[in-house]
């Protein structure tokens, strides 16, 4: 796919975010913020009966097209995976989905990874597992 098509897909996710909303009484939940711009996402997860598989995941927040579109794409990627699979999901898996090269643009990279990092924090908090090195405080994002 060429860049133009990727850009259209990003805009589509931005305008029509998938999984936008809130899950009341979520099994896992976290808030993330990029302090450079103040953009925020909150992520809510509901597990299936096995307590591991992500049955539903939603986000709310506001921010730039990349942060919101990447989080929307992440919602589609995460459903049906286990908490463990998502906690170990390499960031490249999401970046490939986004498609537009961001590796050499640290500011945009932070935007793209805001949702994924917040989701990982939510899962680690819910499971009581320690955050892996480099995830807490990752790229100076504020996560709670
Ligand atoms: Fe704030 Fe993109 S400019 S997350």
């Amino acid at each position: 796919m060429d860049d133009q098509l990727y850009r259209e897909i990003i805009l589509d996710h931005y305008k029509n975010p998938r999984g936008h909303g809130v899950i009341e009484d979520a099994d896992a939940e976290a808030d993330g913020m990029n302090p450079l711009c103040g953009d925020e996402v909150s992520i809510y997860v509901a597990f299936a009966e096995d307590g591991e598989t992500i049955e539903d995941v939603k986000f709310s927040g506001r921010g730039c097209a990349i942060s919101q579109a990447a989080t929307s794409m992440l919602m589609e990627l995460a459903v049906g995976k286990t908490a463990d699979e998502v906690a170990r999901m390499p960031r490249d898996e999401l970046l490939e989905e986004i498609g537009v090269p961001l590796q050499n643009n640290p500011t945009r990279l932070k935007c793209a990874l805001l949702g994924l990092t917040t989701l990982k924090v939510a899962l680690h908090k819910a499971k009581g597992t320690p955050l892996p090195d480099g995830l807490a405080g990752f790229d100076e994002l504020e996560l709670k």
Side-chain angles (χ1 to χ4, degrees):
M1 287 200 283
D2 60 18
D3 268 17
Q4 184 56 35
L5 188 50
Y6 278 120
R7 276 171 219 284
E8 280 171 23
I9 294 172
I10 289 170
L11 263 180
D12 181 54
H13 273 271
Y14 179 55
K15 289 185 186 152
N16 309 296
R18 325 298 197 256
H20 202 255
V22 173
I23 299 174
E24 301 294 339
D25 302 321
D27 298 312
E29 189 174 333
D31 304 311
M33 203 229 329
N34 182 347
L36 292 178
C37 57
D39 290 356
E40 301 171 331
V41 297
S42 297
I43 296 198
Y44 311 88
V45 179
F47 293 124
E49 267 175 29
D50 64 4
E52 290 295 327
T53 307
I54 296 176
E55 188 173 76
D56 196 11
V57 55
K58 292 202 186 305
F59 80 104
S60 62
R62 56 183 178 79
C64 67
I66 296 275
S67 72
Q68 303 302 302
T71 307
S72 167
M73 290 176 187
L74 175 66
M75 301 296 98
E76 292 186 324
L77 280 181
V79 167
K81 288 198 165 60
T82 64
D84 190 48
E85 282 169 338
V86 173
R88 286 187 285 110
M89 186 194 285
R91 53 159 107 168
D92 286 347
E93 192 170 331
L94 179 62
L95 294 177
E96 274 169 27
E97 194 75 16
I98 299 168
V100 177
L102 299 166
Q103 270 81 351
N104 297 325
N105 186 334
T107 311
R108 299 270 91 184
L109 195 59
K110 256 175 241 170
C111 300
L113 294 174
L114 178 60
L116 178 61
T117 313
T118 305
L119 174 57
K120 288 187 180 200
V121 168
L123 295 172
H124 281 287
K125 265 173 39 183
K127 296 290 170 199
T129 49
L131 291 178
D133 283 351
L135 187 53
F138 165 76
D139 272 347
E140 298 134 32
L141 298 175
E142 278 178 23
L143 303 155
K144 55 186 165 58

